[in-house]
Amino acid sequence: MSDPVRIDLPLNRATARSLRAGQVVELFGEMYTARDAAHRRLIELIDSGGELPVDLTDITIYYVGPSPAPRGAPIGSAGPTSSYRMDPYSPLLIARGQTGMIGKGPRGEGVLAAMREYGAVYFAAVGGAAALIARTIKSYEVVAYDDLGAEALARITVEGFPCVVAQDSVGGDLYKRPK
Amino acid sequence: MKEIQFDAIVAAVRQMCIRGCTLADPRLLELLAAARRGEDNELADTILGQIEENARIAAGGGDESQRRPLCQDTGLAVFFVETGSDVRIVGGELTDAINRGVAQGYRDGYLRKSVVGDPVRRANTGDNTPAIVHLRLVSGDGLRIRYAAKGGGSENMSRIAMLKPADGIEGVKDFVVNAVAEAGGNPCPPLVVGVGIGGDFEQCAILAKESLFRPLGDPSGDEFYAGVESELLGRINSLGIGPMGLGGSTTALAVHVLTAACHIASLPVAVNLNCHSSRHEEVRL
Ligand code: SF4
């Protein structure tokens, strides 16, 4: 396998647009964690015109609900959760600035359309490779929704987070199987 | 009458949960290695390599304090328990002992608590209880406890159908292959595919779940169904889904079929998928 492509976060629209399905990448820098519950709250805030706890411009969100951090570690095991559960929420977040998403499994047509329109990319991480991925997470800090426990909205710093571009902004899609 | 202490069951269950969630099944690692040798999709091979590396990291390099859950979704705790009619539990009820062991194991092993007390109002119970317990009374004075950590991603892709007897084994096979095809990358392939055939509605689902406890890759003891398993494995691996649904020939590592008698008018079939994080433990007390 050719060496992974290094990507520094935050991810701007131009870089997001340049990525192609099939590229194996390693991410460096800051991103956020959230699952369905935190997504729902963000969308409710947008709908009601409230102030968001994070600036969505160029952010990447990792769909994860980590296991508890053992003493001395920033985070417990932290593999991706199924992304389709975020499909109802992602298009609006992409329209508001989000450029990167990380999870497992394919995204629906609504998300893919928003990715094409605004320039965003979907990375797949290896589900169940949770101890391996946790090693690349250097810090974990809850930003909002502490009451959601493992599902809180948190800011994390990663070094060499392994994933692959699964669906890109020009219709490239690793989940499309040759018939 | 043989007496078994409540606390001994709690301790055994606690240990099973922690071990099961952190130490990969050696048989799974063998099947992964064999699959890698036959995999010619580069990305698939990279992913399988990450899964192997993950197992090494989770095991903590032999240092118990450095063990980590293989997957952050440490699942619902599912138990199949066989208790001998000559066994008496002293100091409390069996189900309570199992639940206490789960609560302790998930706390002490830093395992994720993934249970909500009500399916609609969804408040987390905080200690991963209650467990799902399938209890059977058998003869003798043994107590056999089997534990599985069943993650949501693969469980959510399970399917059941009440086929017509006329659909026959071909109908059963098509149903299984379609269930895997529809699940795609969501249940974290490479999979172990559990298939229940026969029984009634609920027994069929239980058969599918229980089949996942068979030592990984061992064929059915019934030659006919062993043939069905190997044909299904071949068909599933030619779907092209591959590890994590990103392409390749390694979609399933094994197919396990378990059957039971059924009504003359019925042919129930259930598919319960297990991800590569196949976490099963067994103790006998
Ligand atoms: S399906 Fe299995 S490996 Fe994938 S996230 Fe769930 S428990 Fe983990």
Side-chain angles (χ1 to χ4, degrees):
Chain A
M1 194 98 222
S2 43
D3 282 346
V5 179
R6 177 190 169 111
I7 296 187
D8 291 295
L9 304 173
L11 183 65
N12 62 38
R13 295 253 187 237
T15 311
R17 273 193 200 285
S18 74
L19 294 171
R20 291 293 174 266
Q23 282 180 313
V24 175
V25 301
E26 281 181 358
L27 308 180
F28 291 79
E30 240 176 39
M31 59 186 180
Y32 292 86
T33 71
R35 292 170 42 117
D36 357 2
H39 273 76
R40 195 177 320 120
R41 291 192 191 181
L42 288 174
I43 297 295
E44 280 165 9
L45 266 180
I46 293 176
D47 286 346
S48 66
E51 196 188 326
L52 293 179
V54 290
D55 177 358
L56 297 177
T57 311
D58 293 349
I59 67 166
T60 293
I61 301 181
Y62 178 29
Y63 308 142
V64 60
S67 60
R71 219 163 293 138
I75 196 168
S77 293
T81 193
S82 294
S83 304
Y84 68 85
R85 296 199 317 274
M86 267 51 74
D87 282 2
Y89 312 116
S90 295
L92 183 57
L93 298 183
I94 292 172
R96 297 295 176 108
Q98 179 181 6
T99 50
M101 300 164 280
I102 311 171
K104 68 178 175 89
R107 310 308 302 271
E109 191 39 51
V111 181
L112 299 179
M115 287 162 55
R116 283 193 296 271
E117 182 173 353
Y118 296 96
V121 65
Y122 173 58
F123 302 103
V126 176
L132 173 101
I133 291 172
R135 279 212 169 166
T136 71
I137 301 177
K138 302 302 174 187
S139 71
Y140 175 91
E141 179 202 348
V142 173
V143 183
Y145 316 143
D146 210 356
D147 59 300
L148 293 179
E151 300 195 46
L153 179 69
R155 186 185 298 117
I156 63 175
T157 325
V158 299
E159 283 174 24
F161 184 106
C163 49
V164 54
V165 179
Q167 291 172 310
D168 63 29
S169 61
V170 294
D173 187 347
L174 289 188
Y175 296 105
K176 273 201 196 122
R177 273 177 279 131
K179 283 270 158 353
Chain B
M1 267 302 176
K2 177 166 152 191
E3 296 195 339
I4 297 179
Q5 297 295 324
F6 179 89
D7 290 342
I9 300 171
V10 173
V13 167
R14 172 187 175 280
Q15 190 58 25
M16 268 198 281
C17 295
I18 298 176
R19 266 185 67 88
C21 286
T22 53
L23 296 180
D25 179 345
R27 286 207 173 212
L28 180 101
L29 295 176
E30 282 168 28
L31 291 176
L32 273 177
R36 261 190 104 173
R37 288 192 289 274
E39 179 62 76
D40 40 40
N41 178 309
E42 255 189 303
L43 177 58
D45 183 64
T46 302
I47 293 171
L48 295 175
Q50 285 189 19
I51 293 171
E52 291 179 335
E53 176 68 10
N54 184 64
R56 279 190 287 274
I57 294 171
D63 176 353
E64 213 169 305
S65 73
Q66 291 305 310
R67 280 194 203 160
R68 297 285 183 266
L70 288 154
C71 183
Q72 79 290 338
D73 184 353
T74 46
L76 263 177
V78 180
F79 292 87
F80 282 83
V81 182
E82 282 144 43
T83 176
S85 49
D86 295 334
V87 169
R88 202 167 73 86
I89 315 281
V90 187
E93 295 296 332
L94 180 55
T95 314
D96 294 342
I98 290 173
N99 278 317
R100 189 169 302 179
V102 167
Q104 291 185 4
Y106 277 67
R107 178 194 66 203
D108 299 343
Y110 298 96
L111 310 181
R112 198 180 76 184
K113 288 73 178 171
S114 313
V115 177
V116 293
D118 179 276
V120 175
R121 285 165 290 188
R122 307 201 73 80
N124 196 302
T125 61
D127 61 3
N128 219 56
T129 68
I132 309 275
V133 183
H134 300 286
L135 199 55
R136 258 178 229 145
L137 194 59
V138 296
S139 62
D141 63 359
L143 176 63
R144 178 186 187 209
I145 305 177
R146 292 180 294 165
Y147 156 77
K150 199 68 181 67
S154 53
E155 187 74 2
N156 283 349
M157 298 293 130
S158 303
R159 293 285 178 271
I160 190 161
M162 306 303 282
L163 300 182
K164 296 187 292 296
D167 294 328
I169 192 65
E170 292 309 319
V172 168
K173 288 182 205 160
D174 290 346
F175 180 77
V176 174
V177 173
N178 281 336
V180 174
E182 274 170 34
N186 288 313
C188 291
L191 306 169
V192 180
V193 180
V195 180
I197 311 174
D200 62 355
F201 184 70
E202 81 279 4
Q203 191 190 13
C204 188
I206 293 169
L207 289 170
K209 170 81 33 91
E210 190 175 3
S211 76
L212 297 170
F213 285 82
R214 188 199 297 164
L216 269 186
D218 275 8
S220 166
D222 178 326
E223 219 171 286
F224 172 74
Y225 288 109
V228 171
E229 290 173 349
S230 88
E231 186 191 332
L232 280 173
L233 185 61
R235 279 179 65 182
I236 288 167
N237 282 334
S238 58
L239 289 171
I241 295 170
M244 296 314 297
L246 298 169
S249 60
T250 312
T251 304
L253 298 170
V255 178
H256 292 179
V257 173
L258 209 53
T259 62
C262 68
H263 192 278
I264 50 172
S266 303
L267 176 51
V269 52
V271 179
N272 190 224
L273 299 178
N274 210 118
C275 48
H276 62 80
S277 225
S278 167
R279 295 156 295 187
H280 294 84
E281 287 285 322
E282 170 170 349
V283 290
R284 286 169 196 267
L285 296 173

